[in-house]
Amino acid sequence: MKRNHSILSICCMSFVGFLISCWGCKDSSFSNESSNRIQKTWREYLGDSHRTHYSSLKQINASNVRQLDIAWEYTPLGDTGDIETNPIIIADTLYGKAANGLPFAINAATGQEYWKIEGKEFNSASPSRGVNYWTDGKDGRILYTHGPWLYAIDATTGKEIISFGDSGRISLKKGLNKDSENKWVISTSPGAIYKDIIIMPLRVSEGEYAAKGFIQAFNIKTGDLTWVFRTIPNPGEYGYDTWPKDAYKNPEIGGANCWAGMAVDMERGIVYVPTGSAAYDFYGGNRHGENLFASSLLALDAQTGKRIWSFQFVHHDIFDRDPPAAPTLLTVKRDGKKVDAVAQVTKQGYVFLFNRVTGEPLFPIKETPVPQSHVPGEQTWPTQPLPDRPAPFARVKLTMEDINIHAKNYDELLNIFNNSRSDGPFTPPGLKQNAFMFPGLTGGAEWGGAAVDPDGILYINSSDVPWYLQLIPKTEENELKKLSLGNRLFLTTCSQCHGANLEGEKDAGIPALLDIKKDHSRNYVTQVISNGKGMMPAFGSVLSKKQTEAIVNYIFEGRDKVVSDFGLTKNKTKQLEINRLSVPYTMRYKRFMTSDGYPAINPPWGTLSAIDMNTGEYVWRDTLGMNPELNEIYGTSKTGSENFGGAIVTAGNLLFIAATSDSLFKAYDKRTGKLLWKTKLPAPGFATPATYEVNGKQYVVIACGGGNKPGIKAKNIYVAFSLPN
């Protein structure tokens, strides 16, 4: 019997049939043309299965890019907010996602809507970065996620594929262990497709209630589970001895998930999977050891899920330094020979390069002694791997000389620095003083990742904004008993981000809750707590309705009925007590900012670099992001800024990128870094653009959402550009 999933109210309009691309085309390196380059489309997330962000199109090129003008705009219905989507284009149809996380299809040449998925369901999705397309030559499908579900719909009509899973959807928890059944699991990045298999990324909590983030593959035709790779291994599996004995069945230990996306070598049948840190993110006293396969790059057999090779970027990660973007497949030259390689950019500002087949590092990597933690119960790993080349694309250690001498509150900033620990990119969090994380928790590199061209030049945008953080002991049980239910639950569940006094953290994009009733209803806040929104995870599987109501009462009224227990079921009470014993701390973190709201260090605060991965040398480097109001202070408005979203490069010798809060969309000469063109978008394009050709005309499109970033107004619009007719 068909169920109404509540998100599947479909508005179908006229639809022009699209050409079926050659799925079986050879796909190993730039010397072997992929389907993207044959069809001149943007068939997959980030352009192709290699995640190169590259197109062979060159109608728009360095000589005429200044003539670009708006071709069309499309505004999906639904919420405004953060759209991080890199749309895909199949023939003349563009498939994307609205700010509410639901997909649509439009004419890629005109912006005319073909269909969209509408829903009454509360938006439980985090920012979504795209969809997948699959065809067997007859059946064309779009696969997308919403909440904890993977859906399959007809690419032409948007209607559910009833034969897929349970009436058109499958649970993203299907291959996880039993203790993950009631935990928060979604997906922010599109899957990786190999033949009839889709391999899914997952986002899980980073706290003490996190699900285990196993890698799961599903059959695209049926929805059946094909294989599972356990990133927290079972007994007898490789890596098991890098965890405590019972970690694989310990409900307190989770994470090690792939949230950033994957790349696939179609010819060899290898999927490259970057994994997240183990949870809890900032304290590992309950998970001593290296913790394979957290914060690693896995090379798996795409057909079976068997491990071929792996490399761990951070041993026993208590820094949230997991790889933030899909890896990039490229070909480089070594000793006059071509070598197929895989590159991984990192939050800490390094690029690692490996032989794609063997996992051998193509530049030396040294295990380097790092600072150790003084937190009771913690056992930091003594060394961390650092590549010899290329040099970091971001600053990796904050010094007193970096502090912004133009800041009005310079003395205050200096005092914060002098009373904090700053020992490089692996400074462990502490109890008695702040620890500086530089680059900050958002990179360095972020989910936008790197672009690469056929010459082996890698292009990466980066943020240079420090954060400081400190572990805070949890409130003692005897003190909690004196508080109301809502206050107690708020302290144990919400205060890590929103503060014990509901003050939030503006510079980190975490809203204050003191006056929330002026802008939002109780029902809205209840829905957000239960289902999550933006970067906030859902707590519906942790809190009962009674507990959620108590928190809402506390937020809105500052009081509620004092009770003698947490109002939890027996099992949940036991779970909470275990977590309070094994994870005795919460984390408070802040961006290091001036009183005027700018980074508290000297510019640049954002950069764009081109690196020759054949040699490890930089080709060029420039600032990314502008603040015209600071021109008088710095003698330039090119201060750079924190940036989100990636670049694309083309055979027309162009690099396109938005990514900054100034709402500019820019085109650079990819050979020199010279800015050739810029335009103002309706909102910041915190997304990676796409380029494609329809009826002999090349287009460049970018999603403009703004939203979910400090001080940024939200929108919900896609804008496409082309040359004049």
Side-chain angles (χ1 to χ4, degrees):
M1 179 178 179
K2 181 177 177 181
R3 277 184 290 107
N4 182 356
H5 297 316
S6 78
I7 64 170
L8 295 176
S9 170
I10 303 173
C11 174
C12 292
M13 302 181 68
S14 61
F15 186 85
V16 180
F18 54 80
L19 298 175
I20 301 299
S21 298
C22 172
W23 172 244
C25 295
K26 199 174 183 180
D27 182 15
S28 63
S29 67
F30 281 106
S31 61
N32 292 316
E33 297 277 271
S34 74
S35 59
N36 174 57
R37 282 168 282 283
I38 292 173
Q39 296 293 339
K40 298 183 179 179
T41 62
W42 197 262
R43 181 188 178 92
E44 294 202 41
Y45 176 59
L46 304 180
D48 53 30
S49 67
H50 291 188
R51 312 304 184 224
T52 62
H53 306 220
Y54 177 80
S55 172
S56 64
L57 295 176
K58 53 185 177 182
Q59 183 182 91
I60 302 170
N61 55 59
S63 68
N64 62 22
V65 68
R66 294 176 182 84
Q67 301 174 40
L68 281 182
D69 201 358
I70 293 177
W72 54 260
E73 295 182 348
Y74 172 70
T75 302
L77 294 176
D79 294 344
T80 59
D82 199 3
I83 316 175
E84 298 177 356
T85 300
N86 176 244
I88 60 173
I89 296 88
I90 308 298
D92 73 342
T93 303
L94 181 148
Y95 299 95
K97 275 196 165 186
N100 62 8
L102 297 176
F104 62 82
I106 61 176
N107 185 298
T110 67
Q112 177 192 3
E113 186 177 282
Y114 291 143
W115 56 258
K116 62 177 178 287
I117 304 296
E118 295 181 302
K120 299 176 183 178
E121 180 177 299
F122 183 82
N123 175 20
S124 61
S126 287
S128 181
R129 295 174 188 133
V131 300
N132 289 103
Y133 172 78
W134 172 88
T135 183
D136 59 3
K138 298 177 182 179
D139 176 14
R141 299 185 177 190
I142 294 296
L143 296 107
Y144 74 96
T145 62
H146 191 74
W149 303 98
L150 173 64
Y151 292 86
I153 56 178
D154 186 282
T156 304
T157 66
K159 293 182 179 179
E160 294 171 324
I161 306 292
I162 302 302
S163 59
F164 179 81
D166 182 8
S167 298
R169 71 178 188 176
I170 57 174
S171 172
L172 292 171
K173 303 177 184 180
K174 194 170 185 178
L176 305 185
N177 60 340
K178 189 174 181 179
D179 70 54
S180 298
E181 288 179 359
N182 295 318
K183 295 182 178 181
W184 184 66
V185 175
I186 61 170
S187 180
T188 51
S189 299
I193 287 180
Y194 176 73
K195 297 183 178 178
D196 295 340
I197 294 171
I198 184 166
I199 307 156
M200 288 304 300
L202 296 180
R203 184 185 168 204
V204 302
S205 170
E206 298 177 357
E208 52 203 276
Y209 305 108
K212 290 178 171 61
F214 298 161
I215 314 304
Q216 304 170 92
F218 301 94
N219 184 288
I220 294 175
K221 294 181 178 180
T222 66
D224 292 341
L225 185 67
T226 302
W227 56 257
V228 177
F229 180 88
R230 286 179 285 272
T231 52
I232 300 176
N234 279 358
E237 295 177 341
Y238 185 87
Y240 169 75
D241 59 356
T242 67
W243 298 83
K245 181 179 178 181
D246 294 328
Y248 73 102
K249 61 181 181 181
N250 188 337
E252 309 165 53
I253 297 173
N257 54 301
C258 172
W259 60 270
M262 313 168 192
V264 182
D265 184 327
M266 292 292 186
E267 184 179 61
R268 296 184 175 94
I270 303 175
V271 59
Y272 299 89
V273 184
T275 60
S277 55
Y280 179 62
D281 273 19
F282 299 105
Y283 175 76
N286 63 343
R287 53 176 174 88
H288 294 160
E290 286 179 287
N291 302 154
L292 291 176
F293 296 93
S295 300
S296 300
L297 180 63
L298 290 162
L300 305 179
D301 184 312
Q303 191 70 46
T304 66
K306 300 297 184 184
R307 172 182 168 273
I308 299 171
W309 61 264
S310 61
F311 181 87
Q312 189 174 54
F313 300 106
V314 184
H315 311 311
H316 189 77
D317 191 349
I318 56 169
F319 317 94
D320 194 26
R321 289 306 204 188
D322 46 351
T328 307
L329 306 189
L330 67 161
T331 300
V332 297
K333 291 182 179 178
R334 283 291 184 277
D335 301 323
K337 297 180 180 180
K338 291 184 177 181
V339 178
D340 286 347
V342 54
Q344 180 67 62
V345 295
T346 64
K347 292 179 184 176
Q348 55 266 42
Y350 298 100
V351 185
F352 290 81
L353 188 70
F354 306 95
N355 182 302
R356 198 188 305 173
V357 179
T358 66
E360 175 191 2
L362 295 180
F363 293 114
I365 298 174
K366 299 176 182 177
E367 286 290 337
T368 306
V370 294
Q372 297 298 289
S373 174
H374 306 306
V375 174
E378 184 59 84
Q379 292 182 13
T380 30
W381 202 257
T383 63
Q384 297 293 349
L386 297 178
D388 183 63
R389 306 180 85 175
F393 53 79
R395 287 173 280 183
V396 296
K397 183 177 181 179
L398 184 68
T399 68
M400 187 172 66
E401 288 71 27
D402 290 314
I403 298 177
N404 193 331
I405 60 173
H406 299 289
K408 295 177 182 178
N409 61 329
Y410 175 80
D411 290 341
E412 176 189 352
L413 298 174
L414 186 61
N415 183 60
I416 292 173
F417 177 82
N418 286 334
N419 288 282
S420 302
R421 189 176 182 184
S422 180
D423 294 331
F426 296 104
T427 303
L431 289 169
K432 296 182 179 180
Q433 59 181 168
N434 294 315
F436 270 105
M437 198 70 69
F438 191 42
L441 296 180
T442 53
E446 247 297 347
W447 48 264
V452 69
D453 66 20
D455 297 320
I457 310 299
L458 182 140
Y459 305 84
I460 182 66
N461 52 298
S462 173
S463 298
D464 271 26
V465 179
W467 293 49
Y468 58 96
L469 49 156
Q470 186 175 1
L471 288 170
I472 307 295
K474 290 180 177 177
T475 306
E476 295 292 335
E477 185 68 24
N478 61 344
E479 293 297 320
L480 287 172
K481 289 179 179 179
K482 302 175 184 178
L483 305 176
S484 69
L485 172 62
N487 194 350
R488 294 164 72 179
L489 287 169
F490 184 88
L491 285 176
T492 56
T493 308
C494 313
S495 64
Q496 175 176 332
C497 296
H498 292 284
N501 299 312
L502 288 77
E503 70 273 18
E505 180 50 56
K506 180 181 178 182
D507 293 331
I510 300 171
L513 304 178
L514 293 167
D515 297 316
I516 195 169
K517 58 185 173 183
K518 292 181 180 179
D519 300 312
H520 298 292
S521 68
R522 287 172 176 266
N523 182 62
Y524 175 86
V525 175
T526 299
Q527 293 280 13
V528 170
I529 293 172
S530 298
N531 300 312
K533 187 171 177 67
M535 295 307 293
M536 177 178 164
F539 290 91
S541 61
V542 178
L543 301 170
S544 69
K545 290 183 179 180
K546 177 182 177 181
Q547 296 155 358
T548 302
E549 182 182 358
I551 292 175
V552 173
N553 285 339
Y554 176 72
I555 293 172
F556 274 75
E557 306 298 336
R559 64 182 184 277
D560 57 15
K561 183 180 178 182
V562 178
V563 296
S564 59
D565 58 46
F566 280 89
L568 295 162
T569 65
K570 183 177 180 181
N571 288 338
K572 287 184 176 178
T573 302
K574 182 178 180 181
Q575 174 77 24
L576 184 58
E577 289 172 350
I578 291 172
N579 282 322
R580 288 188 57 76
L581 289 171
S582 62
V583 185
Y585 311 107
T586 61
M587 174 63 70
R588 291 306 312 274
Y589 42 81
K590 293 185 177 183
R591 283 178 170 86
F592 192 40
M593 306 292 281
T594 69
S595 55
D596 292 330
Y598 298 102
I601 61 169
N602 296 317
W605 303 321
T607 60
L608 179 62
S609 301
I611 308 171
D612 187 339
M613 296 306 294
N614 300 287
T615 63
E617 298 294 330
Y618 280 71
V619 180
W620 55 262
R621 195 177 191 206
D622 199 2
T623 56
L624 180 64
M626 301 181 71
N627 288 286
E629 69 278 11
L630 299 180
N631 186 67
E632 186 174 334
I633 297 174
Y634 295 104
T636 178
S637 60
K638 290 180 62 176
T639 57
S641 66
E642 196 168 20
N643 47 86
F644 301 92
I648 63 171
V649 288
T650 75
N653 290 320
L654 293 174
L655 178 149
F656 289 97
I657 191 169
T660 52
S661 58
D662 55 22
S663 298
L664 293 179
F665 188 32
K666 300 177 180 179
Y668 295 82
D669 188 318
K670 75 179 183 71
R671 299 164 295 185
T672 65
K674 180 181 179 181
L675 179 64
L676 300 177
W677 170 82
K678 64 181 179 181
T679 190
K680 192 86 167 180
L681 296 170
F686 295 137
T688 302
T691 188
Y692 57 93
E693 183 180 291
V694 175
N695 297 326
K697 192 176 189 68
Q698 185 182 354
Y699 298 83
V700 182
V701 64
I702 180 78
C704 310
N708 289 340
K709 303 291 186 296
I712 303 299
K713 188 175 181 180
K715 294 279 188 179
N716 186 18
I717 188 169
Y718 284 72
V719 182
F721 299 86
S722 64
L723 295 172
N725 290 325

